[in-house]
């Protein structure tokens, strides 16, 4: 293939200007000549997308060109959704790629891209306030996949306050005892 010759399927015209040109009689001629290129060979390179547990649909990515070998094709953003999970990339073969990265796709062939998901986890925390007492207590932390409220068990009191007896944990005006479970939203 001559350098600069079009490779994308289509019809192209290239115009050359001749500074000096002699005809058969030996007379000098000048002018222009147009060369028409037609690239007829057309190959498709296709990426097929699969939700892998996700819902929705995605159109295949199809590139058409004159390359009879592999063509690097960009992966599309994920159009699938999966409740409770976040998209982390496309699995193609044994490798995970991000959208807009390219993968080699053979001529008139396809590769499969499977959505990869990571389960979303939420942290539910209870922080204990000594309310005038002394000492320290660790927070009660529960990590789970519930993005709503989760039941969290209250810890025993680890604080002391001279002249007072511990009566329970005051949460929003309601008194709860250690070992009781309360409903706590994520990251509260």
């Amino acid at each position: 293939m001559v350098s600069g010759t079009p490779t994308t399927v289509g019809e192209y015209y290239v115009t050359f200007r001749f500074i000096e040109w002699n005809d058969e009689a030996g007379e000098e001629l000048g002018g222009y000549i147009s060369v028409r290129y037609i690239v007829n060979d057309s190959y498709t390179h296709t990426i097929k997308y699969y939700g892998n547990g996700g819902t929705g649909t995605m159109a295949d990515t199809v590139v058409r060109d004159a390359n009879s070998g592999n063509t690097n094709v960009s992966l599309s953003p994920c159009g699938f959704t999966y409740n409770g999970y976040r998209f982390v990339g496309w699995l193609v073969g044994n490798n995970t790629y991000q959208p807009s990265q390219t993968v080699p796709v053979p001529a008139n062939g396809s590769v499969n891209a499977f959505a990869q998901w990571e389960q979303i986890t939420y942290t539910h925390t209870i922080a204990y306030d000594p309310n005038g007492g002394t000492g320290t207590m660790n927070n009660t932390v529960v990590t789970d996949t519930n993005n709503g409220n989760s039941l969290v068990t209250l810890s025993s009191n680890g604080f002391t306050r001279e002249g007072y007896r511990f009566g329970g944990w005051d949460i929003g005006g309601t008194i709860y005892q250690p070992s009781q479970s309360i409903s706590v939203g994520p990251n509260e």
Side-chain angles (χ1 to χ4, degrees):
M1 187 175 285
V2 176
S3 177
T5 302
T7 57
T8 304
V9 174
E11 186 172 325
Y12 304 90
Y13 291 91
V14 179
T15 302
F16 298 96
R17 180 173 184 249
F18 289 92
I19 304 299
E20 187 177 312
W21 188 10
N22 293 329
D23 67 7
E24 290 179 9
E27 291 193 32
E28 280 187 25
L29 303 170
Y32 298 88
I33 185 170
S34 289
V35 177
R36 178 177 165 206
Y37 290 101
I38 299 177
V39 180
N40 287 325
D41 292 335
S42 176
Y43 301 95
T44 58
H45 309 266
T46 305
I47 299 176
K48 296 177 177 283
Y49 298 97
Y50 297 91
N52 195 22
T55 60
T57 59
M58 283 187 65
D60 296 345
T61 298
V62 180
V63 171
R64 183 178 299 277
D65 64 16
N67 186 358
S68 63
N70 286 340
T71 291
N72 287 327
V73 179
S74 293
L75 290 157
S76 293
C78 184
F80 300 108
T81 58
Y82 195 172
N83 192 29
Y85 291 80
R86 75 173 52 91
F87 175 76
V88 295
W90 292 111
L91 181 65
V92 178
N94 293 321
N95 298 310
T96 300
Y97 299 89
Q98 296 304 306
S100 79
Q101 284 188 293
T102 61
V103 294
V105 181
N108 293 331
S110 64
V111 297
N112 296 326
F114 296 92
Q116 296 300 287
W117 305 100
E118 175 181 85
Q119 193 166 28
I120 299 170
T121 58
Y122 300 91
T123 302
H124 309 269
T125 304
I126 297 176
Y128 299 95
D129 182 345
N131 194 20
T134 59
T136 60
M137 284 188 64
N138 292 329
N139 294 341
T140 299
V141 179
V142 173
T143 301
D144 61 23
T145 59
N146 184 3
N147 69 349
N149 289 346
S150 287
L151 290 178
V152 179
T153 303
L154 294 167
S155 292
S156 297
N157 178 32
F159 301 118
T160 59
R161 185 170 179 189
E162 194 171 318
Y164 288 85
R165 180 181 53 82
F166 177 73
W169 299 112
D170 181 353
I171 301 171
T174 303
I175 304 298
Y176 295 91
Q177 296 304 310
S179 300
Q180 277 188 285
S181 295
I182 61 167
S183 181
V184 178
N187 301 315
E188 287 188 50

